[in-house]
Amino acid sequence: DAKTTQPPSMDCAEGRAANLPCNHSTISGNEYVYWYRQIHSQGPQYIIHGLKNNETNEMASLIITEDRKSSTLILPHATLRDTAVYYCIVRAQHNTDKLIFGTGTRLQVFP
Amino acid sequence: GAVVSQHPSWVICKSGTSVKIECRSLDFQATTMFWYRQFPKQSLMLMATSNEGSKATYEQGVEKDKFLINHASLTLSTLTVTSAHPEDSSFYICSAPAADSYNEQFFGPGTRLTVL
């Protein structure tokens, strides 16, 4: 699976959009971009995934560049409960495949 | 979404004892489950893939004789830390993919193990 690079930490004001970047320059054609987050002392939670088109669900939006070498997770209106570590993971699409976690981005939402 | 539970949520044990951690898929069946370990301020590290009815597949560097995995049914996988030592103190998390969810995996809430 391709490696990902994320900034170690970011801050965001409550109510503002949080934009979390991820670089995956070695992504291959059959690999998807997945985002999970982990709130302190809990198990990770799935957020969203995509292949090449932008995706949106009730939690977030995922913007993938045309060359697919990078992506951005957008939390449109961050709340204090969005404070967590966000992991960008690249893998082929099959849910029985293992997930390899990188270091992630620690997002701190402040009042 | 599908629910994965773990038991116990935390455990404290003496050095040299063995500890069993259970991972259950509550509303779906899982032929595959994954076990992770997480040390403070670090990312999740995959330990092994648990396969129902067959042997687990361990990641490089993980001692299979120390971390025994049993996946005896489609809803239960267990991880036994044998002869636990203080360096085994960690947060253990399991995950399972649901058959009707092609893309995501569901994670348990984790088990915090402290070895004295």
Side-chain angles (χ1 to χ4, degrees), chain A residues 34 36 38 93 95 97 99 102, chain B residues 36 38 43 97-98 101 103 105:
Chain A
Y34 288 80
Y36 282 76
Q38 185 181 26
Q93 184 191 30
N95 67 357
D97 289 343
L99 289 170
Chain B
Y36 295 83
Q38 185 175 34
S43 184
S101 174
N103 301 300
Q105 290 188 17

Side-chain angles (χ1 to χ4, degrees), chain B:
Chain B
V3 178
V4 174
S5 71
Q6 285 185 237
H7 178 81
S9 55
W10 60 270
V11 57
I12 301 172
C13 70
K14 292 182 179 180
S15 185
T17 61
S18 294
V19 175
K20 180 185 286 188
I21 301 170
E22 295 184 348
C23 176
R24 291 183 185 273
S25 55
L26 296 186
D27 49 2
F28 67 100
Q29 294 182 333
T31 57
T32 302
M33 291 184 176
F34 300 94
W35 286 97
Y36 295 83
R37 180 168 56 179
Q38 185 175 34
F39 294 108
K41 297 190 184 301
Q42 295 187 22
S43 184
L44 286 80
M45 186 193 79
L46 180 66
M47 299 176 67
T49 302
S50 174
N51 303 299
E52 189 268 335
S54 64
K55 291 183 179 180
T57 304
Y58 290 82
E59 295 298 304
Q60 192 172 10
V62 178
E63 299 175 60
K64 61 181 180 181
D65 294 330
K66 180 167 184 63
F67 299 100
L68 301 179
I69 291 173
N70 185 282
H71 196 150
S73 78
L74 289 172
T75 59
L76 174 64
S77 174
T78 60
L79 169 68
T80 301
V81 183
T82 62
S83 186
H85 291 284
E87 57 266 29
D88 299 321
S89 298
S90 189
F91 193 50
Y92 292 87
I93 307 170
C94 68
S95 73
D100 60 352
S101 174
Y102 193 64
N103 301 300
E104 62 182 291
Q105 290 188 17
F106 300 92
F107 285 80
T111 297
R112 186 161 302 283
L113 169 64
T114 302
V115 184
L116 302 177

Side-chain angles (χ1 to χ4, degrees), chain A residues 29-31 48 95:
Chain A
N30 68 335
E31 290 182 317
I48 199 168
N95 67 357

